[in-house]
Amino acid sequence: MKVLVPVKRVVDFNVKVRVRPDGSGVDTANVKMSMNPFDEIAVEEAVRLKEKAIVTEIIAVSCGITACQETLRTALAMGADRAILVESTVELQPLAVAKLLKAIVDKEAPQLVILGKQAIDDDANQVGQMLAALLGWPQATFASKIDITEEGGQKRATVKREIDGGLETLAMNLPAIITTDLRLNEPRYATLPNIMKAKKKVLDIIKPDALGVDVTPRLATLKVVEPPRRKGGGKVADAKELVAKLRNEAKVI
Ligand code: AMP
């Protein structure tokens, strides 16, 4: 079966993000960009399913500017078979991405789409859920373990999710949507030979118009501000002084 893995190019998680002086957003000029960490986990999971011979083809897809090709090449070096870039210079909001992915699903007919649970730039946590709704497919979000089985020709996914106070196990028939949580797996590093091989793999480029999707943004960002600076702490001489400060200054006891 085919698996589709959407991967987003985001500011690398090690970079301390800076807000643009005019408050219009985050400064991405000359900043290291990488694959969204939850999407690396999604690619890894797809590759492991292929290694278990459950999956036959992994298609990585990214929506965004030309530079997203680098992110797709990383996915190819990790083990994806081919890639699709839906190229657009428009700021793509979650609903637009979900509609683009739906169009790709209609074209490619995968049995499973594995996405990250959220992109670490906007922390939206929306695309997987919106895609499931648009397709009318079942979804299991925040997966920490995935098992795929088959009975009488029907494939099923059993997904464990970490929830408050325990583990929840869901079962659903494929085709389905799964989004990954941090503990699902530890993604592999792409080796040099695989990076070289990835350069020769197929990477198709499509425009949103060709998919019949209107990607016009619907949300306007009014302002982005840095979090308030934390004030430095102070030292107290003993417990008595601490209690006095908590009572008289912080007024919390
Ligand atoms: P979000 O809902 O924006 O937090 O993103 C959730 C997941 O949707 C990400 O982890 C990706 O798997 C996928 N996704 C979001 N934006 C894009 C994009 N521009 N291109 C490809 N996949 C995306």
Side-chain angles (χ1 to χ4, degrees):
M1 71 171 182
K2 267 192 205 177
V3 173
L4 194 74
V5 186
V7 295
K8 187 175 187 189
R9 177 178 182 266
V10 297
V11 173
D12 187 89
F13 73 96
N14 281 309
V15 171
K16 187 179 180 314
V17 292
R18 282 182 320 249
V19 171
R20 283 192 219 115
D22 64 1
S24 63
V26 164
D27 193 358
T28 51
N30 302 318
V31 167
K32 183 174 185 244
M33 306 293 285
S34 300
M35 188 190 300
N36 180 43
F38 292 107
D39 304 352
E40 285 182 347
I41 296 172
V43 175
E44 174 67 33
E45 196 63 21
V47 174
R48 290 187 190 187
L49 288 172
K50 194 172 170 200
E51 286 167 349
K52 286 187 208 151
I54 294 168
V55 162
T56 50
E57 189 181 27
I58 303 167
I59 308 164
V61 47
S62 193
C63 310
I65 59 173
T66 314
C68 296
Q69 288 190 32
E70 289 164 22
T71 318
L72 288 170
R73 290 286 170 208
T74 307
L76 293 170
M78 287 174 73
D81 296 291
R82 60 188 171 94
I84 302 170
L85 169 64
V86 183
E87 193 173 25
S88 171
T89 49
V90 176
E91 178 214 335
L92 296 173
Q93 295 181 344
L95 183 58
V97 175
K99 286 180 180 171
L100 292 171
L101 294 176
K102 168 162 191 312
I104 300 284
V105 168
D106 289 344
K107 240 169 108 124
E108 295 287 347
Q111 285 283 291
L112 186 62
V113 184
I114 312 180
L115 307 92
K117 75 168 179 182
Q118 70 192 52
I120 61 163
D121 49 3
D122 297 325
D123 277 348
N125 175 225
Q126 293 176 8
V127 173
Q129 295 87 328
M130 285 176 166
L131 179 61
L134 290 173
L135 288 165
W137 286 9
Q139 57 174 312
T141 55
F142 300 15
S144 62
K145 189 169 186 322
I146 301 173
D147 285 307
I148 309 283
T149 50
E150 186 168 349
E151 222 184 289
Q154 175 62 60
K155 289 197 171 63
R156 261 170 101 69
T158 307
V159 176
K160 285 208 164 60
R161 341 176 38 238
E162 289 176 13
I163 54 167
D164 277 353
L167 272 182
E168 181 181 56
T169 307
L170 299 177
M172 58 187 182
N173 285 345
L174 302 193
I177 304 288
I178 295 179
T179 73
T180 61
D181 209 341
L182 212 55
R183 271 174 288 277
L184 180 59
N185 62 46
E186 212 168 293
R188 69 196 63 192
Y189 288 105
T191 60
L192 194 58
N194 285 343
I195 293 171
M196 300 313 284
K197 272 189 228 155
K199 293 188 181 170
K200 297 207 184 81
K201 291 187 182 173
V202 175
L203 192 162
D204 290 318
I205 301 178
I206 324 180
K207 302 274 181 198
D209 280 355
L211 294 171
V213 177
D214 176 8
V215 293
T216 314
R218 296 179 172 215
L219 306 169
T221 303
L222 299 183
K223 203 161 123 194
V224 177
V225 291
E226 300 225 354
R229 283 185 84 89
R230 293 177 70 172
K231 295 195 197 102
K235 267 191 176 174
V236 289
D238 51 26
K240 212 169 138 198
E241 190 187 342
L242 175 64
V243 171
K245 276 186 183 288
L246 290 174
R247 180 166 297 142
N248 305 327
E249 289 177 26
K251 296 196 186 342
V252 289
I253 54 173

